[in-house]
Amino acid sequence: MTDEPRILIRRAGPLQGEITIPGAKNSVLKLMAATLLADGEYTLTNVPDIADVGIMADLLAAIGVSSEVVQPGTLRLVNHGNITPVAPYELVERIRASINVLGPLLGRFGRVSLSLPGGDDFGSRPIDMHLTALEAMGAVFEFRHGVVEATADRLHGASITLEFPSVGATENIVTAAVYAKGTTVLDNAAREPEIGDLCNFLVGMGAQIEGIGTSTLTVHGVEPGELKAITHAVVADRIQAATYLAAVAVCGGEVVLRGARADHMEMLLRRFHDMGLVVTSAGVGPTSSLAVFAPQRLRSVDVATLPYPGIATDYKPLIVTMLSVADGVGIVTENLYPGRFRYVEELQRLGADIRADGHHAVVRGVAQLSGAPVRAPDIRAGAALVVAGLAADGETSMTGVHHVDRGYDDLVGRLASLGADIERVD
Ligand code: UD1
């Protein structure tokens, strides 16, 4: 027996009910970093209650932006204008999104000292594309003892084509470009909905950005001082939404996800449809919702991850879990991160029949998984193991809960409210 926090999951009957999908981790962290761009008081609403928001808040506090949860889901951030553009190792190594302070600090202050980031432990995550693009805008980088020292007089606009539509690079380039002299045209930009959310936030602050949601972003730099602090609602989390869809898919039942955006999950919903899930959407934008109805048994499909609008790599552990209990054989191909299949061994402990090699996993559906002790290796895999536990006979006890806490707002409570047999033991 261990004292480590655990999530205990037992096989659940059909799930029923309604839940609200919180704001996206991969958006809120970037919005928080963007508050470095202008002094004043910001209010973010629809903020998920997740550990990474606290870590980002600590990082921003060290740099000079204070923040406070004023009520559940509402975060007030105050940039007093007293900024120290240094991101220290102890904070940076805890969260990959700390790299997002680079663009705003460089664009506004012309200097940054940033420890090289850590983040999820699923392979190397270089930042060469961020640096090459910022160099084209006039930045100079020096590396010493694991720290990047960046300097620039005033950045200037540039014509940049990314060799791959990197999420983080796109965000850093756009946040650096808002104060650059002249126009920056970014081709092959990443198009994830969270980037759209960041661009809309910047436009709300006074930035001039065209092509939001497309792969060509044009940023006309404004004069320093022209951006203002604002209030903004964080876009709904498509990955958390997908997690509840996957839970219904393996448990059966009928559930409504308020706030979930079908328009941000089109390719995934198409695949889920092919697997037999019936998903209908209602409403538009922030008032939209998804209703999901599960078939008797899922059908297997093949899935490949791709940058948005393709199927996100972050959905993959959920898809592999669904295929583990589906009828037939599915092949899953990872195109973004080689080696991001570590949770497969944990699913195998639950009786899943999966062979993973390099970028591919072959998943042969079994009639029944069987509960066992497992350990979450990262956020998304942790959520997928919880979902697998819901479909497994007997009890599944999952450690490594802190990974799930980084990106899931009360996963256990939300699933329990839908009738899942799940509890957290701290
Ligand atoms: C973001 C998400 C992460 C998601 C990923 C891909 C956050 C905090 N994280 O991560 O959950 O899985 O998008 O959708 O938002 N690369 C380079 N050089 C670079 C930048 C990236 O080689 O300069 C490579 C990476 O190693 C990786 C791929 O490009 O193989 C994708 O990276 P990127 O799109 O930048 O992802 P992140 O922003 O790190």
Side-chain angles (χ1 to χ4, degrees):
M1 251 335 177
T2 155
D3 291 338
E4 227 188 300
R6 282 169 298 150
I7 296 177
L8 300 180
I9 313 128
R10 282 166 293 268
R11 187 170 177 201
L15 301 182
Q16 306 282 349
E18 279 191 30
I19 52 172
T20 299
I21 299 303
K25 169 181 90 76
N26 286 353
S27 183
V28 69
L29 302 176
K30 324 304 176 62
L31 301 176
M32 290 172 74
T35 65
L36 292 164
L37 284 167
D39 300 352
E41 186 176 305
Y42 299 79
T43 304
L44 295 178
T45 60
N46 203 30
V47 172
D49 181 9
I50 57 174
D52 273 13
V53 165
I55 299 173
M56 190 53 133
D58 288 347
L59 175 63
L60 290 177
I63 298 173
V65 173
S66 61
S67 57
E68 179 194 6
V69 177
V70 285
Q71 61 181 64
T74 302
L75 186 70
R76 182 173 304 145
L77 299 105
V78 183
N79 181 338
H80 296 284
N82 185 15
I83 297 291
T84 309
V86 176
Y89 178 70
E90 319 76 81
L91 293 165
V92 167
E93 59 125 12
R94 292 171 64 196
I95 187 173
R96 167 78 184 175
S98 51
I99 188 69
N100 278 70
V101 303
L102 178 62
L105 288 176
L106 196 55
R108 185 168 177 210
F109 301 100
R111 65 194 168 90
V112 192
S113 172
L114 178 84
S115 285
L116 288 167
D120 296 284
D121 183 19
F122 46 63
S124 98
R125 299 175 91 178
I127 56 165
D128 51 311
M129 282 187 261
H130 304 229
L131 304 187
T132 308
L134 295 169
E135 268 171 354
M137 299 170 71
V140 176
F141 296 101
E142 271 187 65
F143 297 86
R144 266 189 243 112
H145 310 297
V147 174
V148 192
E149 304 276 355
T151 45
D153 288 331
R154 184 173 173 193
L155 292 175
H156 53 76
S159 188
I160 297 161
T161 303
L162 291 179
E163 53 189 76
F164 174 91
S166 155
V167 170
T170 300
E171 293 163 343
N172 262 333
I173 294 162
V174 170
T175 49
V178 292
Y179 282 137
K181 193 163 178 49
T183 296
T184 301
V185 180
L186 177 60
D187 270 322
N188 202 21
R191 288 191 269 167
E192 272 70 1
E194 296 77 25
I195 293 173
D197 200 29
L198 173 65
C199 288
N200 288 328
F201 179 69
L202 296 170
V203 167
M205 289 174 67
Q208 293 185 17
I209 306 174
E210 292 157 16
I212 295 173
T214 75
S215 54
T216 303
L217 291 171
T218 303
V219 185
H220 304 287
V222 298
E223 287 305 309
E226 280 187 33
L227 298 190
K228 301 275 178 287
I230 57 165
T231 293
H232 180 88
V234 181
V235 70
D237 193 329
R238 61 201 166 101
I239 320 282
Q240 289 190 72
T243 304
Y244 297 103
L245 293 178
V248 179
V250 302
C251 295
E254 201 169 356
V255 163
V256 172
L257 307 178
R258 280 191 301 264
R261 303 267 306 247
D263 56 332
H264 292 166
M265 306 172 72
E266 264 177 39
M267 295 284 184
L268 182 77
L269 294 181
R270 243 184 257 179
R271 267 301 179 281
F272 281 0
H273 171 82
D274 296 342
M275 295 181 83
L277 271 187
V278 180
V279 183
T280 48
S281 67
V284 282
T287 60
S288 60
S289 65
L290 288 180
V292 53
F293 177 72
Q296 203 63 24
R297 190 172 182 197
L298 298 167
R299 287 187 296 272
S300 289
V301 294
D302 295 339
V303 179
T305 63
L306 280 172
Y308 193 85
I311 292 177
T313 184
D314 292 14
Y315 295 135
K316 196 186 55 186
L318 297 167
I319 295 169
V320 170
T321 299
M322 288 163 67
L323 290 172
S324 296
V325 293
D327 185 16
V329 178
I331 298 173
V332 179
T333 303
E334 168 64 64
N335 287 312
L336 278 86
Y337 297 99
R340 206 179 182 187
F341 275 115
R342 280 199 313 159
Y343 57 94
V344 161
E345 284 166 28
E346 301 298 311
L347 284 172
Q348 285 165 339
R349 295 174 51 71
L350 299 176
D353 182 350
I354 308 169
R355 285 192 204 168
D357 189 15
H359 287 266
H360 304 282
V362 178
V363 190
R364 201 173 296 271
V366 297
Q368 180 63 58
L369 295 176
S370 144
V374 289
R375 170 169 288 278
D378 65 60
I379 308 180
R380 308 304 171 190
L385 288 168
V386 168
V387 171
L390 294 173
D393 258 347
E395 186 174 87
T396 296
S397 166
M398 190 187 80
T399 49
V401 172
H402 62 282
H403 287 297
V404 174
D405 291 341
R406 285 190 48 201
Y408 280 85
D409 181 334
D410 197 16
L411 178 65
V412 169
R414 279 186 167 77
L415 286 171
S417 78
L418 298 175
D421 187 352
I422 182 167
E423 70 182 299
R424 183 185 176 115
V425 182
D426 276 307

